[in-house]
Amino acid sequence: MSTLAHIRNWLRYPSLTALSKDDSVMRKAETLVMAFYVIVPVVAYAFFRNWPIPLTRENFDPIWPLFWSEALALSDDVTISIIRAMFLIASLLGMLFYRYRVMRLLVFIGVWQAHAFASSFGSVVHELYPWVYAALIFVFLPSFDEGRAGMERNRRLLLIIWWAQASLMLLYTMAGVWKFHAAFVQLLAGEIHGLSPLAFAYQVADWVQKLQQEAPLAAFVIAHPLIVWPLYVGSHFFQLFAFWTMIRPSLQKIWAFELMLFHIGTFMVMGIEFDPFIFIVIVLLFFSPFIPEKLTLKQIFLDLPVIGQIAEYYIARRKNATS
């Protein structure tokens, strides 16, 4: 067996060719796409609610995707009104006509412009990034015309959905890598690092003071750091191995549930809202067509990162020893 074959055998990623022949998988794939465009108006509503107008020039400095505003010499209020109307209209049209590429492109432009606006106040708004990426990726979805359905069209549909999922999970894995890197640097410097028992309490106390947001569980975390410490450390590992679920789709719902808890917990202890992240995690992972129909606890355990590979190694050794 070649090295490439060994790698493919170890990765065990789903065969898109095999999945493209499964009608139930394809129904799930099309449902995921529909759910995505149904949720976009909800994201647009949340955007409207969080960004009232009018705003003043002192705190609004448009970044480059809003170049048209300066080129047309538009006032801030007019620019903001156009962006809000564009996002709302695009999201509603996308919900109704997402099967047409031009409408999916319009949705991307709406999300992209909304993100540019939200990021025009001195710092980048991260929670809309997954929607920008996914909306752009979904522009390349194949035709939804039933007369053109076929294995190649189905494979392309699944590949683009996988691509959108991967863009989301890569964000979490990159965040996990950064957290472990920062913890290692702090450890070498003799500081309290991200895996220390008191780290979460210190972080919460610092952020709540900075943000001045209501956080119902902040006082509890600060007073009882050891109780929440295992959950905090566990969230590091879930983020680090998020991308692993792209080759072990049996874990996708488990990771989705944990990531939702992570964002809800962040709001409860720091007052930081991540609603757009929760919405897209639900759409891309809970509706995932790659999750096997029949799952066993053994399969889920063996698919876990590191732990599963160690268990598989010892199982294989025992089989070889007894054969």
Side-chain angles (χ1 to χ4, degrees):
M1 187 182 293
S2 66
T3 302
L4 180 59
H6 274 294
I7 293 174
R8 293 182 65 178
N9 185 58
W10 178 75
L11 290 177
R12 293 204 314 269
Y13 57 84
S15 168
L16 296 185
T17 300
L19 291 175
S20 66
K21 301 175 183 178
D22 190 324
D23 290 340
S24 66
V25 169
M26 298 315 303
R27 284 195 296 270
K28 290 178 182 177
E30 296 198 9
T31 299
L32 182 151
V33 175
M34 180 183 68
F36 178 87
Y37 287 100
V38 167
I39 296 296
V40 172
V42 179
V43 177
Y45 167 75
F47 174 82
F48 274 43
R49 184 190 63 188
N50 293 332
W51 296 100
I53 56 174
L55 298 170
T56 62
R57 171 59 66 179
E58 283 73 25
N59 61 355
F60 178 56
D61 186 17
I63 59 177
W64 72 267
L66 306 181
F67 66 91
W68 50 268
S69 174
E70 185 173 350
L72 298 175
L74 300 177
S75 67
D76 292 347
D77 288 348
V78 170
T79 299
I80 295 165
S81 297
I82 291 174
I83 294 170
R84 293 178 62 173
M86 182 189 305
F87 193 13
L88 177 61
I89 294 171
S91 66
L92 293 175
L93 289 175
M95 180 176 63
L96 296 174
F97 305 108
Y98 67 89
R99 291 173 175 267
Y100 299 96
R101 192 185 307 276
V102 65
M103 290 302 175
R104 299 197 299 272
L105 177 60
L106 186 63
V107 170
F108 161 68
I109 294 174
V111 177
W112 179 45
Q113 292 294 294
H115 176 262
F117 163 71
S119 300
S120 295
F121 294 85
S123 61
V124 175
V125 173
H126 297 284
E127 55 260 35
L128 281 177
Y129 266 131
W131 287 95
V132 174
Y133 298 153
L136 176 59
I137 292 168
F138 279 175
V139 171
F140 301 99
L141 286 168
S143 171
F144 283 86
D145 184 358
E146 294 183 2
R148 300 180 61 181
M151 190 177 72
E152 185 56 36
R153 175 263 183 190
N154 290 349
R155 288 184 74 256
R156 185 178 173 191
L157 175 62
L158 292 175
L159 179 60
I160 290 176
I161 289 174
W162 188 94
W163 181 15
Q165 290 179 337
S167 71
L168 172 66
M169 302 311 275
L170 183 59
L171 289 176
Y172 284 108
T173 290
M174 291 170 64
V177 170
W178 180 86
K179 287 182 178 180
F180 275 96
H181 172 264
F184 181 70
V185 171
Q186 290 170 329
L187 176 64
L188 293 181
E191 302 171 352
I192 294 179
H193 53 84
L195 303 181
S196 300
L198 298 179
F200 195 27
Y202 275 95
Q203 185 178 12
V204 170
D206 181 55
W207 275 98
V208 169
Q209 182 180 7
K210 287 179 179 178
L211 298 176
Q212 296 294 309
Q213 298 280 1
E214 183 179 353
L217 297 181
F220 178 84
V221 171
I222 295 171
H224 306 89
L226 296 182
I227 294 178
V228 296
W229 175 63
L231 299 176
Y232 182 64
V233 173
S235 70
H236 282 56
F237 284 94
F238 267 97
Q239 289 187 60
L240 180 66
F241 290 106
F243 196 78
W244 179 256
T245 64
M246 298 314 304
I247 56 173
R248 295 293 191 276
S250 64
L251 303 174
Q252 286 186 343
K253 280 192 177 181
I254 296 174
W255 252 250
F257 185 72
E258 191 283 332
L259 292 174
M260 289 171 58
L261 289 180
F262 166 72
H263 289 304
I264 292 171
T266 302
F267 171 72
M268 296 295 287
V269 301
M270 296 185 187
I272 306 174
E273 296 185 21
F274 283 100
D275 292 350
F277 268 102
I278 294 175
F279 294 148
I280 201 164
V281 164
I282 291 173
V283 170
L284 294 185
L285 298 182
F286 274 102
F287 286 87
S288 176
F290 304 113
I291 300 173
E293 289 268 346
K294 298 179 181 178
L295 278 175
T296 64
L297 290 177
K298 179 181 178 181
Q299 179 183 354
I300 293 174
F301 178 77
L302 293 178
D303 283 347
L304 290 172
V306 182
I307 298 173
Q309 286 68 67
I310 294 174
E312 283 185 323
Y313 172 76
Y314 280 103
I315 290 172
R317 281 193 61 181
R318 289 187 62 183
K319 285 183 177 179
N320 292 334
T322 56
S323 60

